[in-house]
């Protein structure tokens, strides 16, 4: 039964034939409404040979794919199984043409599970730099390291989670709850990674906003008895204006792959949701690369192929089952006619085009020189099967000089939240460092698997989005070195629970006490101190609040440094006059101590801006993680009733006070804003796209003789649990092993699923233009303003361009542009940003297109989302 369509999918109506039933408002009580429903969108769009930026890659892919047999195409699309070889995921190889197995490897901030690699700052810290150049350089450096290890596809960057709820466990892997900031970070990271020769993977698409209930097995392990994963129920407008937005930027930047999610969207699984994959990603936004499943997020064979999935990862139905929804089943599906040739050809084309687009070649593919499963030099090549013992790790050092870049990003991503004059430090007489977060993990920085603990200073969160530290500079080390250099007295107490000793130290004459505190978060498969990925609360860990309150009651020059994945509640102490400075140092990566020292001592004048809002209470955010199943044993339902109003958009709408608003951050100098000018450009009218695609192309031929598909010979070196494209015998049904074998496409696929005829283009789509209708990117306005450094130190300012779209349903302001500008004391520089048609448009659900509403609109330029120094009506 599973191979056809699971009951949940049928119930979801994703494959229903008729017009969908109207959906009740999402905020209805669960038991009173029908479950949210996802409309069918078929057929799956095929690649466009003329797509801008993809023409060469398409030609190369065409030349390659046209030579392939069906078995070879299946090999490209299907992972060889969990632990089958060295990487976290690998495809089958094509030995006949010299194509090695492609290596998919985590993750967004480090090459996971290997050694002699760097650990970069997390996405959230990169976002805080508001610096496109640093975003690009980090992407490039990550790409170089991945390339040096033999990785084909690097599994990042992350725009899902976007950060709907601050408690979300993996928010730090992504950038910011603001879609424009995240979109720019996505695009720069994608360009950097792919320029370095590795395919990037925009993930997790989409609605993967919390860890709880993302996987059935994981949830059951925690005692939640659910039968299907969480359904993220997101309305169309919110999808376009918020969650989809940064993925579109990644598509426009040419991203080669997108990872679909564990969760459901409107009760249809993310990796077989035709609305998400066929309609939004490929049809509307012209995505030309390939969609790969998250690990075990695939639940069907032919149905997921028809809904737009192109690569099955890691290939087995569940880890180490030795069975696959694809592999032999995909071979059979093409042979028995349930999957048309054009669809498997399109999968193969998309995969090979992404490979070529990133500059890779079949002739000199880097060999994979590490094993994700062990750091031992020798071991089984086929890890899960324990077979083929040989050298599997070459311990290649790929760090280059990335430590310098890491230090710079983390320093520039550190946000100065409060400073009453104690900073920058200038040869302080006596420095007292307090807190476990200033010191080392007593068992070493890599002692907890996938960083699944909170010991010592926090460099990054936990989960698959991590890597092994080559070293981790602690604040204690770096600050002590600086103190010695300056001739300052220096003492540190690297504990949170030592009130007697701490009091004795910090209450001494002339103490500058720097207290380090943290909160942590990570991925759902690891439970750290009761946090099943998502944070249980927004307070500091290890009684950090008590520590700060104690120290500041004993010392009138207390500086607080926070390492955290997002906001923490500072309400109880942030305005204490003895607390003379507060810094958010995010998740800085391996140069942790050096970066914070640079900022505290003014070697770097702080210019980080908070990429999220610091609310007074947890409730004030208006959104939260769903911690308990709310639909019996069925899929928990998470209705995004807040729409686009997350983070600052929510606080502004509620007119609620905040501690520190989105975009806020201090400098050691001051800036003045003046002279806002808006220039309007003559651009043509918006023309909805019309016309049709080509008909679905096919590449090469395949034999219809079943004998050509069985395992090549008796001597074939079959590896236990390995996923192959071959059949066990010419008996198709028993080779499949599917109890339901024999169902025709008409019996289980929606109409048009296999229709390869020319298809109408959507008005919002861009014929040959990835990223939607090209007119959306027409530059309609140029906005300029003058920024003057009115202080005594050189510094960087981050002017921000906000827009009010004017409608009663629109947020008070939305970010639309920013820049980081270096300004010398007394100097005046010009800030310049543009507004595209997309920037001034809203999603019109009725016309299924972007529209500029008639409401009068306003432009703001300011130093944060609430310090809008300049404003002007949009002409
Ligand atoms: C084909 O898929 C079905 C699930 O739909 C699975 O039970 C079967 O084992 C698969 N066959 C192979 C050869 O992996
Ligand atoms: C989910 O349902 C809402 C409400 O009908 C709809 O606007 C939206 O497009 C649907 N999304 C998906 C992915 O099906
Ligand atoms: C498929 O991939 C496997 C594993 O890399 C390889 O052994 C096999 O030869 C490939 N089959 C074909 C037909 O290329
Ligand atoms: C889980 O729920 C199912 C019903 O969906 C029930 O049959 C099963 O007994 C439950 N298991 C546990 C451990 O409660
Ligand atoms: C390490 O971290 C774990 C979990 O975060 C905690 O329970 C334990 O007490 C810590 N151990 C040390 C030695 O700090
Ligand atoms: C919040 O969670 C952390 C980590 O689990 C825990 O140490 C802390 O005590 C919790 N705070 C409150 C107020 O419960
Ligand atoms: C500030 O610090 C001094 C010690 O320097 C202490 O006497 C005083 O109570 C503190 N004030 C507050 C508000 O904590
Ligand atoms: C702290 O208190 C001392 C002694 O009363 C005083 O000299 C000093 O200026 C105070 N420092 C701050 C930062 O208020
Ligand atoms: C195919 O053969 C292999 C090796 O004998 C066996 O492990 C597997 O279960 C067979 N597959 C099916 C679907 O019977
Ligand atoms: C074709 O093969 C697929 C994959 O094994 C299977 O699910 C389906 O039932 C088969 N259909 C027919 C008509 O043989």
């Amino acid at each position: 039964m599973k191979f056809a369509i699971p009951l949940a999918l049928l119930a979801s109506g994703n494959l229903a034939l008729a017009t969908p039933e109207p959906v009740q408002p999402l905020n209805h009580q669960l038991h009173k409404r029908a479950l949210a429903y996802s409309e069918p969108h078929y057929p799956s769009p095929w690649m466009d040979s003329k797509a801008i930026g993809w023409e060469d890659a398409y030609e190369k892919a065409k030349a390659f794919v046209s030579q392939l047999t069906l078995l070879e195409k299946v090999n490209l699309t299907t992972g060889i199984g969990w632990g089958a070889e060295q990487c976290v995921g690998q495809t089958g190889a094509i030995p006949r043409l010299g194509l090695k197995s492609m290596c998919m490897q985590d993750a967004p901030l480090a090459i996971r599970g290997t050694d002699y690699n760097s650990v970069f700052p997390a996405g959230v810290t990169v976002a805080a730099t508001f610096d496109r150049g640093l975003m690009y350089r980090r992407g490039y450096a990550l790409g170089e390291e991945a390339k040096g290890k033999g990785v084909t596809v690097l599994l990042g960057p992350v725009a899902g989670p976007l950060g709907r709820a601050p408690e979300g466990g993996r928010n730090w892997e992504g950038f910011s709850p603001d879609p424009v900031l995240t979109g720019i970070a996505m695009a720069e990271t994608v360009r950097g990674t792919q320029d370095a020769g590795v395919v990037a993977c925009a993930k997790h698409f989409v609605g993967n906003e919390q860890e709880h209930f993302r996987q059935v097995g994981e949830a059951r392990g925690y005692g939640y008895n659910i039968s299907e994963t969480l359904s993220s129920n997101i309305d169309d407008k919110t999808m376009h204006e918020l969650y989809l937005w940064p993925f579109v930027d990644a598509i426009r930047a040419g991203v080669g792959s997108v990872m679909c999610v564990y969760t459901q969207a409107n009760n249809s699984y993310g990796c077989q949701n035709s609305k998400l994959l066929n309609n939004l990603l490929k049809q509307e936004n012209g995505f030309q690369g390939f969609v790969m499943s998250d690990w075990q997020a695939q639940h069907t064979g032919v149905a997921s192929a028809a809904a737009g999935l192109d690569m099955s990862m890691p290939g087995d139905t569940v880890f180490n089952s030795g069975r696959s929804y694809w592999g032999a089943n995909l071979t059979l599906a093409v042979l028995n006619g349930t999957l048309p040739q054009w669809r498997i050809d399109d999968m193969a084309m998309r995969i090979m085009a992404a490979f070529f687009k990133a500059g890779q070649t079949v002739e000199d593919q880097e060999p994979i020189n590490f094993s994700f499963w062990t750091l031992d030099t020798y071991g089984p090549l086929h890890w899960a099967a324990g077979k083929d013992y040989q050298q599997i790790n070459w311990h290649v050092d790929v760090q280059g000089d990335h430590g310098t870049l890491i230090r710079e990003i983390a320093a520039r991503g550190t946000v100065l939240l409060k400073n009453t004059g104690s900073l920058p430090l200038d040869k302080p007489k006596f420095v007292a460092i307090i807190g476990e977060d200033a010191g080392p993990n007593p068992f070493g920085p890599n002692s907890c698997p996938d960083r699944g603990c909170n010991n010592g200073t926090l460099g990054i969160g936990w989960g698959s989005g991590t890597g092994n530290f080559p070293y981790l500079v602690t604040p204690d080390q770096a600050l002590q070195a600086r103190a010695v250099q300056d001739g300052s007295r220096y003492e540190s107490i690297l504990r949170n629970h030592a009130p007697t000793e701490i009091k004795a130290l910090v209450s001494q004459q002339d103490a500058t006490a720097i207290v380090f505190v943290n909160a942590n978060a990570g991925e759902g498969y690891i439970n750290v101190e009761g946090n099943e990925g998502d944070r249980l609360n927004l307070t500091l860990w290890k009684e950090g609040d008590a520590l700060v309150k104690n120290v500041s009651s004993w010392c009138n020059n207390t500086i607080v440094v926070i390492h955290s994945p997002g906001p923490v509640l500072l309400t109880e102490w942030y305005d204490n006059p003895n607390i003379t400075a507060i810094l958010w140092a995010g998740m800085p990566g391996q140069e942790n101590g050096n970066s914070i020292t640079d900022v505290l001592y003014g070697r770097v004048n702080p210019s980080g801006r908070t990429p999220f809002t610091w609310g007074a209470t947890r409730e004030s955010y208006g959104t939260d993680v769903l911690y308990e199943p709310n639909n019996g044993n069925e899929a928990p339902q998470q209705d995004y009733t807040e729409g686009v109003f997350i983070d600052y958009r929510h606080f502004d709408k509620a007119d609620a006070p905040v501690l520190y608003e989105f975009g806020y951050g201090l400098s050691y100098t001051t800036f003045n804003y003046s002279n806002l000018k808006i220039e309007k450009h003559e651009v043509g009218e918006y023309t909805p796209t019309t016309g049709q695609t080509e008909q679905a192309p096919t590449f090469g031929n395949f034999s219809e003789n079943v004998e050509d598909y069985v395992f090549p010979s008796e001597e074939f070196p079959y590896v236990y649990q390995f996923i192959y494209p071959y059949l066990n015998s010419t008996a198709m049904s028993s080779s499949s092993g599917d109890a339901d074998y024999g169902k025709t496409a008409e019996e289980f696929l929606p109409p048009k699923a296999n229709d390869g005829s020319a298809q109408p283009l959507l008005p919002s789509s861009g014929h040959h233009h990835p990223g939607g209708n090209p007119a959306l990117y027409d530059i309609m306005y140029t906005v300029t303003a003058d920024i003057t450094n009115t202080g005594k130190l050189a510094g960087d300012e981050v002017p921000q361009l906000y827009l009010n779209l004017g409608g009663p349903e629109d947020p008070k302001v939305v970010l639309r542009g920013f820049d980081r500008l270096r300004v010398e004391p007394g100097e005046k520089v010009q800030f310049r940003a543009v507004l595209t048609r997309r920037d001034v448009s809203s999603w019109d659900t009725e016309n299924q297109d972007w529209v500029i509403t008639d409401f009068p609109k306003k432009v703001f330029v300011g130093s944060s989302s609430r310090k809008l120094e300049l404003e002007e009506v949009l002409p």
Side-chain angles (χ1 to χ4, degrees):
M1 178 59 209
K2 262 249 160 127
F3 188 67
I5 316 265
L7 273 177
L9 182 60
L10 284 174
S12 81
N14 190 33
L15 302 175
L17 316 186
T19 341
E21 283 172 45
V23 177
Q24 310 239 1
L26 291 175
N27 57 359
H28 271 215
Q29 298 253 319
L30 203 56
H31 62 274
K32 287 194 188 146
R33 65 164 165 82
L35 292 184
Y37 156 90
S38 203
E39 251 179 36
H41 286 268
Y42 295 91
S44 188
W46 37 92
M47 276 193 84
D48 173 3
S49 61
K50 302 194 186 73
I52 289 166
W54 288 82
E55 304 96 320
D56 284 358
Y58 187 95
E59 281 309 314
K60 288 178 185 157
K62 182 178 165 185
F64 187 81
V65 172
S66 300
Q67 304 174 58
L68 301 183
T69 65
L70 174 57
L71 289 169
E72 288 167 337
K73 288 171 186 170
V74 170
N75 248 7
L76 275 183
T77 65
T78 306
I80 56 182
W82 178 244
E85 282 178 13
Q86 291 141 285
C87 300
V88 75
Q90 280 181 238
T91 58
I94 304 182
R96 185 177 63 91
L97 297 175
L99 183 77
K100 299 189 183 109
S101 165
M102 294 189 193
C103 166
M104 319 287 141
Q105 189 63 21
D106 297 311
L109 62 68
I111 315 308
R112 178 184 177 205
T114 179
D115 48 16
Y116 303 95
N117 57 277
S118 304
V119 172
F120 290 80
V124 71
T125 284
V126 182
T129 68
F130 280 74
D131 187 318
R132 289 173 177 79
L134 290 176
M135 292 167 180
Y136 176 88
R137 285 168 62 202
R138 174 173 168 275
Y140 192 89
L142 272 164
E144 282 182 321
E145 297 204 4
K147 182 98 184 154
K149 292 280 180 188
V151 172
T152 318
V153 183
L154 182 63
L155 303 176
V158 173
L162 186 69
R164 173 180 180 267
E167 296 82 1
R170 297 178 80 179
N171 291 357
W172 52 275
E173 290 189 48
F175 299 98
S176 161
D178 182 83
V180 169
L181 178 55
T182 292
I184 288 169
M186 289 293 282
E188 295 297 346
T189 309
V190 164
R191 279 193 205 101
T193 303
Q194 298 195 163
D195 284 353
V198 170
V199 179
C201 178
K203 68 184 193 179
H204 308 83
F205 184 71
V206 60
N208 187 98
E209 294 291 325
Q210 65 168 51
E211 297 304 288
H212 280 75
F213 320 127
R214 65 179 188 144
Q215 293 198 82
V216 168
E218 187 177 284
R220 286 190 180 155
Y222 289 125
Y224 308 110
N225 187 13
I226 54 168
S227 56
E228 307 291 342
T229 69
L230 178 88
S231 177
S232 296
N233 304 326
I234 309 177
D235 69 84
D236 192 32
K237 187 173 165 71
T238 302
M239 179 62 86
H240 280 86
E241 295 180 2
L242 194 61
Y243 297 100
L244 180 60
W245 183 291
F247 284 99
V248 173
D249 289 325
I251 293 172
R252 239 187 134 230
V255 71
S257 67
V258 166
M259 188 187 290
C260 54
V261 286
Y262 290 125
T263 42
Q264 305 188 74
N266 291 11
N267 295 290
S268 166
Y269 274 103
C271 290
Q272 62 194 46
N273 186 310
S274 63
K275 166 85 184 165
L276 293 185
L277 307 183
N278 286 345
N279 175 235
L280 295 180
L281 208 55
K282 292 181 174 177
Q283 191 181 20
E284 183 182 316
N285 289 295
F287 173 56
Q288 301 296 316
F290 64 94
V291 176
M292 78 167 80
S293 67
D294 202 341
W295 272 231
Q296 302 187 112
Q298 187 186 13
H299 300 279
T300 54
V302 177
S304 57
L309 183 70
D310 303 300
M311 183 187 278
S312 165
M313 274 294 143
D316 30 22
T317 49
V318 293
F319 291 168
N320 305 117
S321 64
R323 300 304 169 99
S324 180
Y325 293 114
W326 286 4
N329 271 318
L330 200 56
T331 306
L332 285 165
V334 178
L335 287 177
N336 72 24
T338 52
L339 192 81
Q341 188 197 339
W342 63 257
R343 182 72 265 268
I344 186 152
D345 285 2
D346 182 52
M347 295 176 187
M349 282 293 290
R350 286 172 176 275
I351 293 163
M352 289 312 298
F355 174 91
F356 291 122
K357 189 170 196 308
Q360 308 200 3
T361 60
V362 176
E363 297 71 36
D364 45 32
Q365 257 179 293
E366 298 289 332
I368 301 164
N369 56 35
F370 72 102
S371 169
F372 165 64
W373 317 97
T374 178
L375 293 176
D376 292 349
T377 304
Y378 294 87
L381 174 69
H382 301 295
W383 183 255
K387 206 172 148 180
D388 290 344
Y389 189 88
Q390 58 182 62
Q391 182 167 2
I392 51 175
N393 273 309
W394 278 260
H395 313 286
V396 177
D397 189 334
V398 292
Q399 300 171 86
D401 61 352
H402 298 159
T404 313
L405 174 65
I406 291 166
R407 177 174 180 164
E408 182 179 356
I409 295 171
R412 304 224 176 261
T414 296
V415 185
L416 180 62
L417 294 172
K418 176 180 180 180
N419 183 20
T420 58
S422 57
L423 294 182
L425 298 175
D426 181 17
K427 295 192 168 46
K429 194 165 179 192
F430 166 32
V431 184
I433 300 301
I434 307 298
E436 183 178 325
D437 183 67
N441 180 333
F443 306 102
N446 298 316
S447 53
C448 304
D450 290 338
R451 311 299 76 80
C453 63
N454 188 12
N455 299 118
T457 195
L458 183 70
I460 54 175
W462 75 79
S464 66
T466 62
N468 293 322
F469 284 104
Y471 58 81
L472 174 54
V473 179
T474 66
D476 183 45
Q477 289 171 320
L479 286 164
Q480 171 161 312
R482 176 65 197 233
V484 169
Q485 184 190 318
D486 283 353
S488 304
R489 176 182 161 204
Y490 185 91
E491 289 191 45
S492 54
I493 299 177
L494 306 177
R495 290 277 180 279
N496 287 12
H497 306 110
T500 313
E501 294 80 359
I502 291 172
K503 182 176 180 184
L505 185 69
V506 303
S507 55
Q508 291 175 38
Q509 176 78 28
D510 296 324
T512 296
I514 310 181
V515 188
F516 283 81
V517 286
N518 72 30
N520 201 353
E523 191 172 347
Y525 67 94
I526 303 176
N527 176 343
V528 178
E529 301 187 30
N531 298 262
E532 296 160 357
D534 302 313
R535 279 195 277 168
L536 280 171
N537 59 55
L538 295 183
T539 57
L540 291 168
W541 289 30
K542 300 181 188 287
E543 289 156 82
D545 286 305
L547 181 67
V548 171
K549 284 194 267 186
N550 274 340
V551 173
S552 59
S553 73
W554 300 320
C555 175
N556 71 350
N557 190 14
T558 301
I559 295 165
V560 181
V561 178
I562 302 157
H563 287 120
S564 72
V568 288
L569 303 178
L570 314 178
T571 317
E572 293 178 11
W573 47 261
Y574 79 108
D575 56 356
N576 181 328
N578 282 359
I579 296 178
T580 55
I582 306 175
L583 297 104
W584 178 66
M587 288 187 163
Q590 70 191 39
E591 289 278 335
N592 182 325
N594 285 332
S595 305
I596 192 65
T597 302
D598 287 347
V599 174
L600 289 169
Y601 281 84
R603 181 174 172 266
V604 169
N605 187 348
S607 54
R609 298 291 178 262
T610 175
F612 49 77
T613 298
W614 299 69
T617 63
R618 175 182 194 156
E619 294 69 33
S620 67
Y621 286 86
T623 44
D624 209 326
V625 160
L626 179 71
Y627 292 91
E628 293 294 331
N630 63 357
N631 190 19
N633 293 327
E634 319 270 294
Q637 300 291 309
Q638 186 153 50
D639 297 340
Y640 287 38
T641 46
E642 71 287 344
V644 299
F645 294 94
I646 63 170
D647 200 72
Y648 68 92
R649 299 158 179 232
H650 162 76
F651 285 99
D652 287 351
K653 186 183 184 199
D655 211 5
V658 302
L659 269 48
Y660 305 110
E661 70 276 9
F662 174 88
Y664 169 87
L666 299 170
S667 165
Y668 296 149
T669 186
T670 50
F671 299 95
N672 181 269
Y673 284 62
S674 63
N675 199 21
L676 174 64
K677 291 215 177 90
I678 305 173
E679 188 191 345
K680 185 172 184 172
H681 304 290
E682 283 317 314
V683 293
E685 286 292 296
Y686 180 78
T687 329
T689 298
T690 54
Q692 292 205 319
T693 66
E694 316 259 277
Q695 68 176 45
T698 55
F699 303 92
N701 303 308
F702 66 91
S703 144
E704 287 177 29
N705 183 356
V706 183
E707 280 165 22
D708 294 339
Y709 297 93
V710 295
F711 275 93
S713 72
E714 291 295 318
E715 292 84 54
F716 185 83
Y718 177 88
V719 176
Y720 177 62
Q721 287 179 348
F722 205 91
I723 304 301
Y724 293 101
Y726 309 109
L727 313 183
N728 272 8
S729 74
T730 53
M732 292 166 76
S733 163
S734 66
S735 290
S736 159
D738 178 359
D740 242 15
Y741 191 89
K743 282 244 163 76
T744 62
E746 291 69 29
E747 284 175 276
F748 73 95
L749 290 180
K752 295 190 70 187
N754 289 348
D755 182 355
S757 66
Q759 298 294 313
L761 296 168
L762 297 178
S764 57
S765 73
H767 201 12
H768 313 319
H769 288 261
N773 194 313
L776 290 170
Y777 301 96
D778 288 344
I779 293 174
M780 300 190 69
Y781 301 92
T782 301
V783 178
T784 55
D786 291 340
I787 313 297
T788 310
N789 185 339
T790 50
K792 292 192 177 61
L793 289 172
D796 290 0
E797 175 63 342
V798 179
Q800 299 155 43
L801 169 63
Y802 291 89
L803 197 60
N804 171 267
L805 288 162
E809 304 290 302
D810 289 320
K812 193 167 169 192
V813 293
V814 288
L815 181 75
R816 285 296 187 256
F818 58 82
D819 204 356
R820 167 193 283 270
L821 300 169
R822 179 85 184 164
V823 200
E824 298 299 321
E827 193 195 6
K828 180 164 78 179
V829 301
Q830 193 181 57
F831 164 64
R832 189 176 170 281
V834 298
L835 288 170
T836 63
R837 191 190 305 270
R838 180 195 189 209
D839 288 328
V840 298
S841 296
S842 308
W843 180 252
D844 179 343
T845 53
E846 203 160 310
N847 291 317
Q848 287 293 294
D849 207 349
W850 294 94
V851 64
I852 302 177
T853 63
D854 293 334
F855 301 113
K857 306 187 184 345
K858 221 175 202 183
V859 168
F860 303 85
V861 171
S863 53
S864 82
S865 61
R866 287 193 171 186
K867 290 211 180 53
L868 304 164
E869 281 90 345
L870 309 172
E871 62 177 83
E872 197 73 63
V873 171
L874 191 72

